[in-house]
């Protein structure tokens, strides 16, 4: 019988960074350490409130494909490399996907 704790918990983690250089540094650290199978980077324009003021900024969105069982380590790595006081680090589960792609995530992300 398979232990449910051994089953991957596929997910996407979104992180927003202030510039391409920082986004790439975070992405490379996550992939090199085996905390992410892939990180896609996209330039975005964000409008948000911070300390009571509306801000408009060009940022970079990281779309991180991972096994969410590694979220705590991934979050710690992002926070250690991120320049924002309160970085966006949001995880959502993948509820279905192309099996060979999901298997690739499993093979790429390290296990404790």
């Amino acid at each position: 019988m398979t232990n449910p704790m051994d089953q991957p918990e596929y997910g996407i983690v979104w992180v927003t960074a202030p510039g391409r250089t920082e986004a790439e540094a975070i992405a490379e650290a996550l992939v090199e350490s085996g905390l992410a199978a892939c990180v896609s980077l996209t330039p975005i324009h964000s409008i948000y409130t911070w300390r009571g003021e509306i801000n408009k900024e060009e940022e970079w969105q990281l779309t991180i494909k991972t096994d969410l069982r590694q979220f705590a380590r991934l979050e710690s790595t992002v926070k250690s490399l991120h320049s924002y006081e309160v970085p966006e680090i949001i995880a959502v589960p993948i509820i279905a996907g192309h099996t060979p792609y999901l298997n690739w995530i499993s093979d790429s992300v390290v296990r404790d």
Side-chain angles (χ1 to χ4, degrees):
M1 178 176 213
T2 303
N3 180 347
M5 296 304 291
D6 293 335
Q7 297 301 311
E9 296 176 16
Y10 303 110
I12 300 292
V13 178
W14 286 307
V15 172
T16 304
R20 182 176 180 162
T21 301
E22 186 169 310
E24 286 181 349
I26 293 168
E28 287 177 9
L30 294 174
V31 172
E32 287 174 1
S33 65
L35 294 173
C38 174
V39 181
S40 301
L41 306 174
T42 309
I44 60 171
H45 184 78
S46 297
I47 301 172
Y48 60 93
T49 59
W50 179 247
R51 298 191 174 163
E53 295 185 18
I54 295 177
N55 296 273
K56 298 176 183 180
E57 303 288 342
E58 300 302 319
E59 296 182 293
W60 284 78
Q61 183 77 58
L62 289 78
T63 303
I64 304 161
K65 281 70 86 172
T66 191
D67 181 335
L68 293 178
R69 294 176 300 173
Q70 299 301 322
F71 181 80
R73 291 178 53 214
L74 185 149
E75 178 184 32
S76 178
T77 299
V78 170
K79 289 187 332 187
S80 74
L81 298 169
H82 210 292
S83 62
Y84 286 170
E85 182 180 339
V86 181
E88 172 189 30
I89 308 172
I90 299 172
V92 295
I94 296 172
I95 58 170
H98 181 56
T99 300
Y101 185 82
L102 298 177
N103 291 340
W104 170 74
I105 292 174
S106 291
D107 293 342
S108 301
V109 176
V110 297
R111 291 170 180 73
D112 290 331

